[in-house]
Tab-separated table of all heavy atoms in Angstrom:
chain	number	residue	atom	x	y	z
M	1	PRO	N	-0.908	-9.941	0.945
M	1	PRO	CA	0.424	-9.538	0.355
M	1	PRO	C	0.255	-8.954	-0.981
M	1	PRO	O	-0.491	-9.380	-1.886
M	1	PRO	CB	1.142	-11.011	0.235
M	1	PRO	CG	0.478	-11.844	1.177
M	1	PRO	CD	-1.036	-11.332	1.243
M	2	TRP	N	0.861	-7.703	-1.160
M	2	TRP	CA	0.913	-7.076	-2.472
M	2	TRP	C	2.139	-7.334	-3.156
M	2	TRP	O	2.255	-7.199	-4.422
M	2	TRP	CB	0.609	-5.497	-2.282
M	2	TRP	CG	-0.865	-5.226	-2.017
M	2	TRP	CD1	-1.729	-5.880	-1.232
M	2	TRP	CD2	-1.583	-4.235	-2.709
M	2	TRP	NE1	-2.931	-5.254	-1.284
M	2	TRP	CE2	-2.867	-4.288	-2.149
M	2	TRP	CE3	-1.272	-3.127	-3.608
M	2	TRP	CZ2	-3.900	-3.338	-2.637
M	2	TRP	CZ3	-2.241	-2.315	-4.008
M	2	TRP	CH2	-3.511	-2.449	-3.412
M	3	LEU	N	3.244	-7.424	-2.454
M	3	LEU	CA	4.573	-7.692	-3.000
M	3	LEU	C	5.196	-8.854	-2.263
M	3	LEU	O	5.059	-9.041	-1.057
M	3	LEU	CB	5.457	-6.454	-2.903
M	3	LEU	CG	5.138	-5.220	-3.769
M	3	LEU	CD1	6.115	-4.125	-3.453
M	3	LEU	CD2	5.159	-5.574	-5.272
M	4	THR	N	5.986	-9.763	-2.927
M	4	THR	CA	6.633	-10.751	-2.343
M	4	THR	C	8.135	-10.651	-2.711
M	4	THR	O	8.433	-10.169	-3.846
M	4	THR	CB	6.081	-12.111	-2.765
M	4	THR	OG1	6.172	-12.337	-4.177
M	4	THR	CG2	4.751	-12.337	-2.296
M	5	THR	N	9.024	-11.111	-1.885
M	5	THR	CA	10.449	-11.026	-2.123
M	5	THR	C	11.031	-12.499	-1.796
M	5	THR	O	10.390	-13.233	-1.080
M	5	THR	CB	11.118	-10.053	-1.266
M	5	THR	OG1	11.018	-10.316	0.121
M	5	THR	CG2	10.480	-8.568	-1.488
M	6	ASP	N	12.261	-12.649	-2.327
M	6	ASP	CA	12.944	-13.855	-1.932
M	6	ASP	C	13.782	-13.780	-0.668
M	6	ASP	O	14.280	-14.805	-0.269
M	6	ASP	CB	13.979	-14.211	-3.173
M	6	ASP	CG	13.190	-14.429	-4.458
M	6	ASP	OD1	12.078	-14.866	-4.450
M	6	ASP	OD2	13.794	-14.165	-5.552
M	7	THR	N	13.761	-12.611	-0.095
M	7	THR	CA	14.442	-12.347	1.158
M	7	THR	C	13.554	-12.878	2.273
M	7	THR	O	12.452	-12.547	2.421
M	7	THR	CB	14.915	-10.962	1.370
M	7	THR	OG1	15.575	-10.467	0.286
M	7	THR	CG2	15.685	-10.772	2.605
M	8	ALA	N	14.247	-13.782	3.166
M	8	ALA	CA	13.454	-14.342	4.242
M	8	ALA	C	13.067	-13.274	5.169
M	8	ALA	O	11.988	-13.319	5.912
M	8	ALA	CB	14.297	-15.432	4.950
M	9	ALA	N	13.890	-12.258	5.483
M	9	ALA	CA	13.614	-11.229	6.438
M	9	ALA	C	12.412	-10.405	5.949
M	9	ALA	O	11.639	-9.885	6.810
M	9	ALA	CB	14.837	-10.327	6.611
M	10	THR	N	12.325	-10.080	4.716
M	10	THR	CA	11.260	-9.280	4.169
M	10	THR	C	10.032	-10.104	3.963
M	10	THR	O	8.841	-9.740	4.359
M	10	THR	CB	11.605	-8.543	2.891
M	10	THR	OG1	12.851	-7.848	3.142
M	10	THR	CG2	10.613	-7.656	2.419
M	11	GLY	N	10.134	-11.168	3.247
M	11	GLY	CA	8.979	-12.041	3.000
M	11	GLY	C	7.999	-11.403	1.995
M	11	GLY	O	8.211	-11.404	0.791
M	12	SER	N	6.941	-10.899	2.488
M	12	SER	CA	5.894	-10.275	1.701
M	12	SER	C	5.496	-8.876	2.218
M	12	SER	O	5.763	-8.607	3.519
M	12	SER	CB	4.654	-11.160	1.577
M	12	SER	OG	4.135	-11.328	2.870
M	13	LEU	N	5.044	-8.034	1.434
M	13	LEU	CA	4.585	-6.669	1.860
M	13	LEU	C	3.168	-6.516	1.641
M	13	LEU	O	2.683	-6.794	0.481
M	13	LEU	CB	5.383	-5.550	1.157
M	13	LEU	CG	6.970	-5.586	1.381
M	13	LEU	CD1	7.552	-4.537	0.502
M	13	LEU	CD2	7.294	-5.282	2.888
M	14	THR	N	2.397	-6.046	2.646
M	14	THR	CA	1.057	-5.748	2.403
M	14	THR	C	0.873	-4.265	1.838
M	14	THR	O	1.875	-3.575	1.771
M	14	THR	CB	0.196	-5.840	3.717
M	14	THR	OG1	0.764	-4.882	4.664
M	14	THR	CG2	0.396	-7.258	4.322
M	15	ALA	N	-0.291	-3.869	1.598
M	15	ALA	CA	-0.552	-2.577	1.095
M	15	ALA	C	-0.155	-1.519	2.160
M	15	ALA	O	0.453	-0.431	1.865
M	15	ALA	CB	-2.027	-2.387	0.630
M	16	MET	N	-0.465	-1.722	3.371
M	16	MET	CA	-0.095	-0.825	4.483
M	16	MET	C	1.445	-0.728	4.561
M	16	MET	O	1.928	0.380	4.827
M	16	MET	CB	-0.678	-1.289	5.764
M	16	MET	CG	-2.196	-1.426	5.757
M	16	MET	SD	-2.952	0.201	5.495
M	16	MET	CE	-2.524	1.050	7.015
M	17	GLU	N	2.164	-1.792	4.479
M	17	GLU	CA	3.621	-1.801	4.612
M	17	GLU	C	4.225	-1.065	3.379
M	17	GLU	O	5.309	-0.443	3.481
M	17	GLU	CB	4.171	-3.209	4.746
M	17	GLU	CG	3.760	-3.863	5.971
M	17	GLU	CD	4.083	-5.379	6.063
M	17	GLU	OE1	4.220	-5.974	4.977
M	17	GLU	OE2	4.154	-5.917	7.183
M	18	ILE	N	3.607	-1.174	2.139
M	18	ILE	CA	4.148	-0.511	1.020
M	18	ILE	C	4.156	0.955	1.246
M	18	ILE	O	5.056	1.756	0.821
M	18	ILE	CB	3.401	-0.946	-0.210
M	18	ILE	CG1	3.631	-2.431	-0.552
M	18	ILE	CG2	3.742	-0.057	-1.411
M	18	ILE	CD1	2.925	-2.901	-1.795
M	19	THR	N	2.999	1.455	1.848
M	19	THR	CA	2.957	2.847	2.036
M	19	THR	C	3.922	3.450	2.995
M	19	THR	O	4.299	4.643	2.961
M	19	THR	CB	1.527	3.254	2.535
M	19	THR	OG1	1.253	2.536	3.786
M	19	THR	CG2	0.430	2.908	1.530
M	20	GLN	N	4.447	2.573	3.824
M	20	GLN	CA	5.508	3.015	4.765
M	20	GLN	C	6.872	3.030	4.150
M	20	GLN	O	7.771	3.688	4.572
M	20	GLN	CB	5.524	2.046	6.000
M	20	GLN	CG	4.203	2.086	6.795
M	20	GLN	CD	4.216	1.050	7.841
M	20	GLN	OE1	5.195	0.299	8.107
M	20	GLN	NE2	3.098	0.996	8.593
M	21	LYS	N	7.091	2.244	3.036
M	21	LYS	CA	8.363	2.219	2.392
M	21	LYS	C	8.491	3.221	1.221
M	21	LYS	O	9.656	3.588	0.961
M	21	LYS	CB	8.595	0.764	1.874
M	21	LYS	CG	8.930	-0.245	2.953
M	21	LYS	CD	9.239	-1.628	2.381
M	21	LYS	CE	9.654	-2.577	3.449
M	21	LYS	NZ	10.944	-2.181	4.047
M	22	ILE	N	7.495	3.538	0.549
M	22	ILE	CA	7.524	4.318	-0.623
M	22	ILE	C	6.505	5.459	-0.441
M	22	ILE	O	5.597	5.449	0.348
M	22	ILE	CB	7.286	3.636	-1.891
M	22	ILE	CG1	5.866	2.966	-1.937
M	22	ILE	CG2	8.248	2.496	-2.159
M	22	ILE	CD1	5.474	2.245	-3.125
M	23	ASP	N	6.752	6.474	-1.238
M	23	ASP	CA	5.817	7.637	-1.255
M	23	ASP	C	4.723	7.496	-2.299
M	23	ASP	O	4.875	7.533	-3.514
M	23	ASP	CB	6.577	8.921	-1.587
M	23	ASP	CG	5.743	10.158	-1.430
M	23	ASP	OD1	4.623	10.070	-0.962
M	23	ASP	OD2	6.156	11.316	-1.992
M	24	VAL	N	3.535	7.163	-1.833
M	24	VAL	CA	2.350	6.981	-2.676
M	24	VAL	C	1.242	7.967	-2.331
M	24	VAL	O	0.048	7.626	-2.425
M	24	VAL	CB	1.789	5.514	-2.628
M	24	VAL	CG1	2.763	4.525	-3.133
M	24	VAL	CG2	1.486	5.172	-1.162
M	25	ARG	N	1.647	9.073	-1.958
M	25	ARG	CA	0.713	10.198	-1.605
M	25	ARG	C	-0.189	10.576	-2.750
M	25	ARG	O	-1.234	11.215	-2.594
M	25	ARG	CB	1.418	11.348	-1.003
M	25	ARG	CG	1.885	11.119	0.415
M	25	ARG	CD	2.752	12.336	0.974
M	25	ARG	NE	3.959	12.532	0.174
M	25	ARG	CZ	4.795	13.588	0.394
M	25	ARG	NH1	4.555	14.408	1.373
M	25	ARG	NH2	5.856	13.649	-0.319
M	26	SER	N	0.284	10.335	-4.007
M	26	SER	CA	-0.536	10.753	-5.125
M	26	SER	C	-1.592	9.728	-5.485
M	26	SER	O	-2.492	10.064	-6.177
M	26	SER	CB	0.379	10.930	-6.321
M	26	SER	OG	1.000	9.672	-6.650
M	27	VAL	N	-1.473	8.507	-4.943
M	27	VAL	CA	-2.444	7.505	-5.330
M	27	VAL	C	-3.334	7.053	-4.110
M	27	VAL	O	-4.501	6.904	-4.210
M	27	VAL	CB	-1.785	6.279	-5.913
M	27	VAL	CG1	-2.784	5.159	-6.305
M	27	VAL	CG2	-1.039	6.722	-7.162
M	28	ALA	N	-2.649	6.927	-3.017
M	28	ALA	CA	-3.375	6.391	-1.811
M	28	ALA	C	-4.526	7.227	-1.384
M	28	ALA	O	-5.635	6.686	-1.106
M	28	ALA	CB	-2.372	6.227	-0.605
M	29	PRO	N	-4.479	8.593	-1.349
M	29	PRO	CA	-5.759	9.254	-0.999
M	29	PRO	C	-6.878	9.088	-1.989
M	29	PRO	O	-8.018	9.036	-1.599
M	29	PRO	CB	-5.264	10.764	-1.003
M	29	PRO	CG	-3.743	10.682	-0.827
M	29	PRO	CD	-3.373	9.410	-1.549
M	30	VAL	N	-6.549	8.997	-3.250
M	30	VAL	CA	-7.623	8.749	-4.191
M	30	VAL	C	-8.365	7.449	-3.910
M	30	VAL	O	-9.620	7.392	-4.008
M	30	VAL	CB	-7.015	8.786	-5.633
M	30	VAL	CG1	-8.119	8.442	-6.692
M	30	VAL	CG2	-6.388	10.159	-5.972
M	31	LEU	N	-7.602	6.395	-3.743
M	31	LEU	CA	-8.275	5.134	-3.446
M	31	LEU	C	-9.021	5.124	-2.132
M	31	LEU	O	-10.183	4.579	-2.027
M	31	LEU	CB	-7.177	3.993	-3.345
M	31	LEU	CG	-6.314	3.819	-4.678
M	31	LEU	CD1	-5.307	2.767	-4.456
M	31	LEU	CD2	-7.209	3.438	-5.814
M	32	PHE	N	-8.462	5.726	-1.006
M	32	PHE	CA	-9.149	5.694	0.220
M	32	PHE	C	-10.425	6.615	0.153
M	32	PHE	O	-11.540	6.118	0.670
M	32	PHE	CB	-8.195	6.200	1.344
M	32	PHE	CG	-8.879	6.280	2.715
M	32	PHE	CD1	-9.161	5.181	3.416
M	32	PHE	CD2	-9.122	7.530	3.175
M	32	PHE	CE1	-9.742	5.210	4.683
M	32	PHE	CE2	-9.814	7.590	4.440
M	32	PHE	CZ	-10.035	6.400	5.189
M	33	ILE	N	-10.262	7.795	-0.358
M	33	ILE	CA	-11.450	8.741	-0.401
M	33	ILE	C	-12.448	8.156	-1.328
M	33	ILE	O	-13.701	8.264	-1.098
M	33	ILE	CB	-10.923	10.175	-0.854
M	33	ILE	CG1	-10.073	10.674	0.160
M	33	ILE	CG2	-12.215	10.977	-1.093
M	33	ILE	CD1	-9.490	12.092	-0.269
M	34	GLY	N	-11.980	7.432	-2.403
M	34	GLY	CA	-12.919	6.857	-3.357
M	34	GLY	C	-13.717	5.717	-2.623
M	34	GLY	O	-14.960	5.615	-2.852
M	35	LEU	N	-12.993	4.915	-1.844
M	35	LEU	CA	-13.816	3.860	-1.038
M	35	LEU	C	-14.877	4.556	-0.202
M	35	LEU	O	-16.057	4.018	-0.124
M	35	LEU	CB	-12.774	3.101	-0.132
M	35	LEU	CG	-12.117	2.028	-0.920
M	35	LEU	CD1	-11.072	1.381	0.108
M	35	LEU	CD2	-12.999	0.838	-1.303
M	36	VAL	N	-14.494	5.575	0.577
M	36	VAL	CA	-15.485	6.186	1.406
M	36	VAL	C	-16.709	6.830	0.623
M	36	VAL	O	-17.859	6.628	0.969
M	36	VAL	CB	-14.797	7.337	2.251
M	36	VAL	CG1	-15.884	8.079	3.096
M	36	VAL	CG2	-13.788	6.651	3.165
M	37	VAL	N	-16.328	7.450	-0.456
M	37	VAL	CA	-17.384	8.120	-1.337
M	37	VAL	C	-18.360	7.079	-1.923
M	37	VAL	O	-19.624	7.266	-1.900
M	37	VAL	CB	-16.779	9.066	-2.321
M	37	VAL	CG1	-17.881	9.570	-3.287
M	37	VAL	CG2	-16.164	10.211	-1.731
M	38	ILE	N	-17.760	6.046	-2.431
M	38	ILE	CA	-18.601	4.965	-3.073
M	38	ILE	C	-19.438	4.295	-1.985
M	38	ILE	O	-20.687	4.085	-2.249
M	38	ILE	CB	-17.704	3.885	-3.711
M	38	ILE	CG1	-16.923	4.478	-4.890
M	38	ILE	CG2	-18.479	2.738	-4.195
M	38	ILE	CD1	-15.802	3.586	-5.483
M	39	ALA	N	-18.943	3.999	-0.836
M	39	ALA	CA	-19.718	3.348	0.192
M	39	ALA	C	-20.867	4.293	0.643
M	39	ALA	O	-22.112	3.846	0.878
M	39	ALA	CB	-18.838	3.038	1.450
């Protein structure tokens, strides 16, 4: 869980679910490509 809410229907949001709700195209590729390059 990256985010938690008081709403029972939502509960918590993982990182994958956050990317589906908001536009994080400016950050997500940096983190993913960074993981691959570091590995």
Side-chain angles (χ1 to χ4, degrees):
W2 280 47
L3 292 175
T4 57
T5 64
D6 297 332
T7 307
T10 306
S12 61
L13 296 174
T14 64
M16 301 298 293
E17 293 171 339
I18 291 177
T19 59
Q20 297 173 2
K21 287 183 173 294
I22 60 177
D23 184 11
V24 290
R25 287 176 296 180
S26 60
V27 179
V30 175
L31 299 179
F32 177 75
I33 296 176
L35 277 173
V36 175
V37 173
I38 296 172

